[in-house]
Amino acid sequence: MPVIHVSILEGRSVETKRAYFKALTDASVKCLGCRPESVSIVLSEMPFEHYARAGKMKADELAEAGLSVEAYHAREAGKKG
């Protein structure tokens, strides 16, 4: 029975998280040969003030760039393709 723990920055929509849960479950079924019912996922969302990289708080990066949380996620989603 896989238990998947994921930490992400806050601000994603319920629809996005729902799609992510489905993708993680589908990948677990395919790779591990388990049933979807046996896959558990624990999602922890953290505020931008609780995440830093290279000593710089993500919230400060957003403020310096003049980005809202929504604008940040929209920009990051645009980088996928």
Side-chain angles (χ1 to χ4, degrees), residues 10-11 48 59 61-63 65-75:
E10 67 185 354
F48 281 72
E61 288 181 24
L62 291 183
L67 290 172
S68 67
V69 170
E70 294 80 12
Y72 168 79
H73 286 303
R75 185 186 74 182

Side-chain angles (χ1 to χ4, degrees), residues 2 6 12 14 19 21 30 32-33 40 50-51 55 58 61 74:
V6 179
R12 290 176 176 84
V14 171
F21 291 150
K30 180 179 178 182
L32 301 175
S40 297
H50 294 187
Y51 179 78
K58 194 67 173 176
E61 288 181 24

